[in-house]
Amino acid sequence: MTPQTRSGVTLFAAGREFWRHPSPWCLALTLTGALTARTTVGDWQLTDVALPVFMLATFPVFEWIIHVAILHWRPRTLGRFTVDPLLARKHREHHREPRRIELIFIPQQTLVWLIPAAVAVPLLAFSRLGLGLTSVICLTALGLVYEWTHYLIHTDYRPKSRAYRSIWRNHRRHHFKNENYWFTVTSTGTADRLLRTYPNQSAVRTSPTAKNLHGATR
């Protein structure tokens, strides 16, 4: 689990594999379209700077909430029905097989509604078209960064920078040490520190359900 024990995979090779999957392309094409539309619309204002700064600052908390509340959703029974969303099921598969590439990315079934929602919601939420498009740009850019970071951590690419090593360790502790901590993916010690899921790893027991979330059978 240390950088020295990882096999030598180049960043170029990792990137080539990354672009073979639909999620990066969907996000990148949406980002390109939003950038083109935003440039065409113009009407730049101070809020077009303030909004990206706000979204970037709060993204670790947003990421933490999604990870905890949706991806780690515990199946619940309501009468004859079991509430067990696709994203939660796929994430349990991801914990069982963390090196299986297709399970690293946002599922294709989710992209069908997620991409339209990422465009429609900001455009409807803001009264100014330009600011709505700025929001779409930020959402898709952050989504692309998330997908790339998460994917790269699960490859055999060897961490080189101090910042990336920290992020790499953080996520691997979540998978191989204890699934109840270290929920952020694109940063480390941010939302986890704020929300008290960043303990000293030496004080945390190795969880028997890190690869079998909630002890679920599927």
Side-chain angles (χ1 to χ4, degrees):
M1 286 183 60
T2 62
Q4 289 76 22
T5 61
R6 307 284 281 178
S7 60
V9 171
T10 66
L11 197 60
F12 177 79
R16 188 169 53 187
E17 175 62 31
F18 178 74
W19 290 108
R20 289 175 179 163
H21 299 271
S23 175
W25 280 105
C26 288
L27 288 165
L29 289 172
T30 306
L31 173 60
T32 301
L35 281 168
T36 303
R38 184 67 190 88
T39 303
T40 302
V41 168
D43 187 29
W44 299 97
Q45 298 184 26
L46 184 60
T47 48
D48 289 295
V49 176
L51 181 63
V53 171
F54 174 77
M55 292 180 71
L56 184 62
T58 57
F59 184 68
V61 174
F62 178 76
E63 186 179 77
W64 189 98
I65 292 171
I66 295 295
H67 199 161
V68 172
I70 297 178
L71 301 184
H72 279 239
W73 170 272
R74 185 184 294 271
R76 291 167 172 81
T77 302
L78 296 175
R80 294 179 298 171
F81 302 98
T82 299
V83 181
D84 192 15
L86 172 70
L87 281 171
R89 297 198 306 271
K90 287 294 185 181
H91 195 68
R92 291 201 298 274
E93 289 182 41
H94 173 53
H95 269 263
R96 280 197 296 271
E97 300 181 80
R99 290 181 59 82
R100 188 173 158 192
I101 298 295
E102 61 268 27
L103 294 175
I104 295 170
F105 297 97
I106 299 170
Q108 293 185 49
Q109 303 96 313
T110 301
L111 290 170
V112 171
W113 61 262
L114 183 63
I115 296 296
V119 175
V121 171
L123 293 182
L124 292 172
F126 294 99
S127 58
R128 186 164 62 86
L129 177 60
L131 190 58
L133 288 169
T134 297
S135 180
V136 175
I137 291 168
C138 293
L139 277 176
T140 50
L142 288 169
L144 197 57
V145 169
Y146 174 90
E147 288 289 81
W148 169 248
T149 306
H150 188 215
Y151 159 76
L152 196 62
I153 290 169
H154 285 280
T155 69
D156 287 329
Y157 174 72
R158 181 176 298 180
K160 291 180 172 62
S161 71
R162 183 176 179 180
Y164 177 61
R165 279 199 301 271
S166 179
I167 293 170
W168 179 83
R169 288 194 197 98
N170 201 64
H171 192 62
R172 287 182 64 81
R173 286 169 186 162
H174 174 75
H175 272 280
F176 301 109
K177 180 70 174 177
N178 195 305
E179 76 278 15
N180 299 302
Y181 304 102
W182 306 294
F183 288 103
T184 55
V185 176
T186 58
S187 61
T188 179
T190 49
D192 278 315
R193 287 187 187 275
L194 178 66
L195 298 166
R196 301 186 178 184
T197 51
Y198 193 80
N200 185 327
Q201 67 160 336
S202 62
V204 176
R205 69 181 182 91
T206 299
S207 171
T209 55
K211 284 196 172 185
N212 183 24
L213 297 186
H214 322 305
T217 56
R218 63 186 179 93

